[in-house]
């Protein structure tokens, strides 16, 4: 029998996996997997388990939110082991799973993990760490990891809105130096994100047009600091319409970039705390992550999703 390591976060998404756990394990067993099950006990536990144990198995499957997936991928990268990863989304937004077309039904996602085809998608390096689909800084980026799991479980997306409202009027601008082949500048920015997903924070299309998950390029959005209410309105419009001609925002694709800040800048990686840094180097590791999807994707020459 093939050996599977199944790591799940019992607290993600209102703990919904508890009602599906038996059906998920039955699915794995029916597909000839000898399953070792581990439930995470806290932050970074999934990373530790994956780093220590992934090499013993033919396949690693995880269930939780995008942050849980980030932990498992980071642990496997640190171990130097490359194995296919199955993903059963159970979080509040599940941006990356949506971009890959992974079923929302946990039982169907388990089938995809057990029987699906591997899709080699890009992975991000963030200094000495990694991110699966987004690294971001600035306004509201701390909402996802500052919102308590209990509040997320009770209110879902509304929990993010409530936490975000607490920060209205408290954001600050950062003076940054941005370096890449496509765009280099020094200036004041209030928000920035580097993505490999067509959905971020549950907002589809915010990362730009023609998103490809395996092209070796990130989609980058940088927002210049507005000086007054009119500029704020122009900025919001430019972001929502993806207006690449607007002076309020910068949108481009890149393989590698560096961002320098005068003061430590707080980052988020895949919705989790990414620490504070004065220098961040980001690089696209093309097709470094093997995710199991329902069928052989046409994206062998392109991507799972293009918008």
């Amino acid at each position: 029998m093939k050996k599977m390591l199944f790591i799940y976060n019992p607290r993600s998404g209102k703990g919904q996996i508890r009602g599906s756990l038996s059906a998920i394990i039955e699915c794995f067993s029916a597909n000839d997997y000898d399953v070792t099950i581990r439930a995470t006990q806290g932050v970074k536990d999934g990373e530790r388990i994956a780093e220590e144990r992934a090499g013993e198995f033919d396949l690693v499957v995880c269930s939780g939110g995008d942050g849980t997936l980030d932990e498992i991928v980071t642990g496997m990268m640190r171990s130097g082991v490359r194995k296919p990863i199955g993903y059963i989304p159970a979080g509040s937004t599940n941006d990356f799973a949506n971009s890959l077309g992974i079923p929302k039904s946990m039982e169907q996602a388990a089938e995809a993990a057990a029987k699906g085809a591997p899709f080699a998608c890009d992975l991000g390096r963030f200094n000495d760490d990694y991110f699966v689909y987004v690294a971001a800084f600035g306004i509201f980026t701390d909402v996802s990891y500052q919102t308590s799991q209990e509040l997320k479980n009770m209110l879902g997306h509304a929990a993010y809105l409530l936490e975000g409202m607490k920060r209205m009027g408290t954001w600050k601008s950062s003076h940054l130096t941005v370096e890449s082949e496509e765009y280099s500048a020094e200036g004041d920015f209030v928000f920035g994100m580097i993505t490999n997903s067509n959905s971020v924070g549950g907002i589809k299309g915010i990362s730009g047009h023609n998103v490809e998950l395996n092209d070796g390029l990130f989609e980058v959005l940088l927002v210049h600091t507005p000086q007054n209410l009119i500029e704020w309105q122009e900025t919001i419009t430019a972001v929502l319409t993806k207006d690449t001609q607007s002076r309020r925002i910068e949108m481009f694709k890149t393989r590698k970039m560096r961002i320098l800040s005068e003061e430590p800048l707080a980052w988020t990686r895949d919705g989790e705390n990414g620490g504070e840094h004065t220098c961040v180097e980001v690089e696209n590791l093309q097709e470094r992550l093997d995710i199991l999807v329902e069928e052989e994707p046409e994206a062998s020459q392109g991507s799972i999703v293009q918008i």
Side-chain angles (χ1 to χ4, degrees):
M1 296 180 71
K2 297 170 289 185
K3 296 175 64 178
M4 175 194 294
L5 175 61
F6 178 45
I7 306 171
Y8 73 96
N9 183 343
R11 303 176 68 223
S12 287
K14 303 180 182 180
Q16 59 180 303
I17 193 172
R18 292 188 177 94
S20 302
L21 191 56
S22 177
I24 290 171
I25 301 305
E26 287 179 22
C27 169
F28 294 156
S29 297
N31 283 280
D32 296 325
Y33 278 102
D34 180 11
V35 186
T36 297
I37 307 171
R38 293 295 300 271
T40 61
Q41 303 300 308
V43 177
K44 300 290 186 181
D45 196 31
E47 179 178 325
R48 178 187 60 79
I49 295 169
E51 183 174 2
E52 294 176 355
R53 302 288 311 275
E56 305 170 24
F57 298 87
D58 301 298
L59 169 65
V60 177
V61 178
C62 68
S63 181
D66 291 330
T68 301
L69 177 63
D70 178 280
E71 286 194 14
I72 274 55
V73 170
T74 297
M76 291 180 66
M77 289 296 293
R78 293 194 187 285
S79 73
V81 171
R82 181 166 182 170
K83 297 288 178 70
I85 298 176
Y87 183 32
I88 302 174
S92 301
T93 54
N94 303 313
D95 289 308
F96 193 61
N98 292 335
S99 293
L100 286 166
I102 292 175
K104 291 180 171 60
S105 161
M106 302 191 82
E107 288 82 359
Q108 291 179 12
E111 285 281 346
K115 299 164 58 176
F119 170 61
C121 58
D122 298 343
L123 179 66
R125 181 182 64 80
F126 180 96
N127 289 344
D128 294 327
D129 275 304
Y130 303 92
F131 64 96
V132 175
Y133 76 98
V134 62
F137 67 85
I139 181 173
F140 296 150
T141 53
D142 65 341
V143 167
S144 58
Y145 63 82
Q146 290 288 350
T147 305
S148 71
Q149 187 66 54
E150 290 74 16
L151 196 60
K152 292 178 189 177
N153 289 347
M154 285 191 296
L155 302 179
H157 279 91
Y160 294 110
L161 296 177
L162 289 174
E163 191 68 25
M165 288 172 64
K166 297 179 184 178
R167 288 158 172 70
M168 292 296 290
T170 64
W171 57 77
K172 67 176 184 177
S173 175
S174 298
H175 190 78
L176 307 176
T177 299
V178 180
E179 301 173 353
S180 74
E181 290 184 5
E182 296 77 9
Y183 174 81
S184 294
E186 181 178 352
D188 296 328
F189 297 88
V190 73
F191 175 80
M193 66 178 186
I194 304 160
T195 67
N196 188 44
S197 172
N198 77 309
S199 174
V200 179
I203 304 174
K204 188 174 182 180
I206 192 172
S207 50
H209 299 287
N210 300 320
V211 175
E212 297 189 5
L213 305 186
N214 61 350
D215 61 355
L217 297 171
F218 291 124
E219 283 68 42
V220 180
L221 168 63
L222 300 173
V223 178
H224 293 283
T225 304
Q227 301 301 315
N228 51 55
L229 183 58
I230 293 177
E231 289 189 2
W232 268 111
Q233 293 173 332
E234 293 175 351
T235 299
I236 293 171
T237 299
V239 171
L240 294 177
T241 60
K242 299 179 281 292
D243 182 5
T244 57
Q245 303 303 313
S246 172
R247 295 176 299 166
R248 306 299 175 203
I249 65 173
E250 308 293 340
M251 297 189 76
F252 58 95
K253 295 176 183 284
T254 191
R255 182 185 67 84
K256 188 176 182 179
M257 67 185 301
R258 182 165 71 156
I259 296 179
L260 306 172
S261 55
E262 296 178 341
E263 299 180 357
L265 181 63
W267 286 78
T268 176
R269 293 183 293 111
D270 296 331
E272 301 298 321
N273 190 342
E276 295 187 353
H277 308 270
T278 55
C279 177
V280 165
E281 293 186 353
V282 172
E283 180 181 8
N284 186 297
L285 306 179
Q286 188 173 13
E287 298 187 335
R288 183 60 181 81
L289 179 61
D290 299 316
I291 296 286
L292 291 162
V293 295
E294 280 192 294
E295 57 186 16
E296 186 69 39
E298 296 178 0
S300 296
Q301 296 86 34
S303 69
I304 290 287
V305 178
Q306 292 191 356
I307 58 172

